[in-house]
Amino acid sequence: MHKNLFDVTIIGGGPAGLYSAFYSGLRGMKVNILEYQPHLGGKVNVYPEKMIWDAGGMPPVTGAKMVEQMIEQGLTFNPSVFLNEKVESIRKNESGHFEVQTASGNLHISKTVIVAVGSGILNPQKLQIEGAERFEVTNLHYTVQSLKKFKDKTVLISGGGNTAIDWANELEPIAKKVYITHRSCNFKGHEAQIGQLMSSTAECLLNTQITKLHANEAHDGIDRVELTHSITNELSSLEVDDVIINHGYEIDASLIKNSALPIEMVDDYFIKTESSGSSSVPGLYAAGDISKHDGKLNLLMGAFHDAANAVNEAKRYITPDAGAAAMVSSHNDVFKEKNRELAKNI
Ligand SMILES: Cc1cc2nc3c(=O)[nH]c(=O)nc-3n(C[C@H](O)[C@H](O)[C@H](O)COP(=O)(O)OP(=O)(O)OC[C@H]3O[C@@H](n4cnc5c(N)ncnc54)[C@H](O)[C@@H]3O)c2cc1C
């Protein structure tokens, strides 16, 4: 037998992947996590300072804290973890095991696979203005890593989806002034976030888009932005300290397409699953934002729920007479020692 034969190989180390790793450990499985980024935590790393209020039973925590806690939990059972490991394709060999091929040339062999790649490999869509890239080292941003950086600044955000709206809401109490420009006539975010934005001091510039960036005297940053109204073509100008762009992401979704497996998809990207996480390929499961099923919830809670279901299916694929689910953690033998340690500090 292959010495590195894993029970489950989890592709993607975001919320779904990390919880899959934890739950697989709980069920006594030998686990391998493969993550493209140099760090774990997935998309939550895009919003490190955002407060997350909607994780059941959890007090509000920042994205960064959530990442820290998910990693700690995900690594409880010491899974093998490969970072900077881009999975390129999955196939099955003649023994019925999965072979997971990565860009670095590694071949990971596994009895089952949980695909937890979320939105795939994300690269932000760049501002389509000639020469814009030279400002990326100063005040043209494609992500908000630290809210403090924008304290007392005049910030223009360009974008109309959840991320742009979230950033506007988070920055509004911190920045001197927040403008948000969107080329369309309405925003496409969650209702509550749009409501918050509309009742804040942030100024919404709809039907407008950035058409020119003016450099400061030193030519090392933007000091003024030209905006064009998309209906009237009227030009306007805004003096800014920082410009933040969220025009969505270019997604590298080649993984499933490169894989010589009959994986049924939805909308050419998502993996069609049962609510149990099972895909059209026996032994291959999907969890988190990549999966599409009737009860799908594209939230952290949805990712955790998918993950537990996928692991239970994977366990029973390997060991058909295993229980349908793990016992609750308080009854599980694997926690006895850990509970004794924790109890000392209570
Ligand atoms: C701005 C924003 C705010 C949000 N706020 C909330 C909130 O307040 N509450 C909430 O519940 N949810 C929130 N969400 C949603 C939540 O973040 C997602 O539902 C969750 O991250 C999905 O987890 P996932 O593991 O499925 O995918 P992801 O988080 O996308 O993780 C997938 C991982 O897979 C890796 N990967 C992709 N392709 C490959 C490959 N080929 N090889 C190896 N690795 C690969 C990626 O690098 C990534 O690390 C928010 C999302 C955004 C964008």
Side-chain angles (χ1 to χ4, degrees):
M1 185 169 295
H2 198 285
K3 76 174 175 12
N4 274 333
L5 174 65
F6 290 95
D7 289 325
V8 58
T9 288
I10 299 163
I11 307 174
L18 287 167
Y19 196 70
S20 297
F22 169 75
Y23 205 79
S24 301
L26 194 62
R27 300 221 60 182
M29 296 161 87
K30 184 177 172 188
V31 182
N32 188 25
I33 305 176
L34 309 177
E35 168 56 54
Y36 164 72
Q37 298 285 351
H39 48 253
L40 297 167
K43 271 201 289 286
V44 187
N45 287 299
V46 173
Y47 50 95
E49 300 209 358
K50 179 189 140 131
M51 292 304 291
I52 300 171
W53 284 83
D54 54 351
M58 288 260 301
V61 286
T62 60
K65 188 72 187 165
M66 179 61 95
V67 166
E68 192 187 308
Q69 293 177 173
M70 289 189 304
I71 294 175
E72 188 183 339
Q73 184 180 47
L75 303 186
T76 305
F77 297 101
N78 302 313
S80 136
V81 179
F82 289 78
L83 299 176
N84 299 303
E85 189 79 326
K86 179 185 177 190
V87 175
E88 291 200 319
S89 65
I90 316 163
R91 56 181 182 263
K92 254 187 187 178
N93 64 21
E94 58 288 351
S95 324
H97 293 144
F98 289 93
E99 295 185 344
V100 180
Q101 179 71 57
T102 69
S104 63
N106 288 331
L107 192 65
H108 301 264
I109 317 286
S110 194
K111 293 179 192 169
T112 65
V113 165
I114 296 178
V115 184
V117 297
S119 317
I121 291 170
L122 299 178
N123 294 307
Q125 299 253 23
K126 295 294 177 87
L127 188 63
Q128 296 301 310
I129 291 181
E130 210 183 313
E133 63 285 351
R134 74 193 149 114
F135 299 119
E136 286 179 28
V137 289
T138 51
N139 60 352
L140 177 63
H141 315 276
Y142 289 95
T143 184
V144 174
Q145 283 300 330
S146 162
L147 295 174
K148 275 188 251 137
K149 190 180 165 67
F150 302 99
K151 187 168 170 5
D152 300 328
K153 299 285 182 67
T154 299
V155 182
L156 171 66
I157 299 171
S158 177
N162 279 320
T163 307
I165 296 167
D166 271 359
W167 286 342
N169 285 333
E170 297 287 327
L171 287 173
E172 189 256 356
I174 293 166
K176 185 167 142 199
K177 176 78 188 170
V178 171
Y179 295 93
I180 176 164
T181 171
H182 181 39
R183 63 185 171 173
S184 169
C185 62
N186 49 28
F187 292 111
K188 292 196 181 69
H190 293 303
E191 236 170 88
Q193 267 88 334
I194 296 177
Q196 187 185 340
L197 178 70
M198 292 304 181
S199 56
S200 75
T201 65
E203 202 166 315
C204 302
L205 308 166
L206 291 168
N207 288 315
T208 60
Q209 56 185 321
I210 300 174
T211 41
K212 217 178 249 175
L213 302 174
H214 292 274
N216 57 18
E217 274 182 22
H219 291 278
D220 61 358
I222 305 162
D223 69 354
R224 198 161 53 82
V225 165
E226 179 192 274
L227 297 165
T228 302
H229 195 279
S230 51
I231 299 168
T232 62
N233 283 331
E234 203 177 311
L235 298 180
S236 57
S237 166
L238 266 186
E239 286 189 6
V240 293
D241 294 311
D242 288 277
V243 177
I244 306 172
I245 307 295
N246 185 268
H247 291 174
Y249 295 90
E250 282 162 16
I251 299 176
D252 176 350
S254 53
L255 166 62
I256 304 302
K257 288 180 185 154
N258 290 341
S259 300
L261 289 170
I263 302 171
E264 209 178 317
M265 295 173 79
V266 177
D267 295 338
D268 216 28
Y269 176 70
F270 301 99
I271 298 180
K272 184 171 192 289
T273 65
E274 303 294 327
S275 53
S276 64
S278 300
S279 74
S280 53
V281 175
L284 186 139
Y285 309 91
D289 283 359
I290 183 69
S291 74
K292 255 299 188 253
H293 56 80
D294 286 347
K296 183 67 211 146
L297 189 60
N298 286 80
L299 287 173
L300 296 166
M301 290 294 109
F304 302 151
H305 183 235
D306 286 348
N309 276 331
V311 170
N312 287 332
E313 291 296 300
K315 177 73 183 179
R316 295 222 289 175
Y317 176 81
I318 299 169
T319 315
D321 58 356
M327 287 183 287
V328 293
S329 53
S330 55
H331 299 156
N332 203 303
D333 280 351
V334 295
F335 287 116
K336 279 196 178 139
E337 188 51 38
K338 291 182 195 293
N339 285 344
R340 263 194 289 276
E341 285 302 309
L342 289 170
K344 283 184 201 158
N345 302 319
I346 291 172

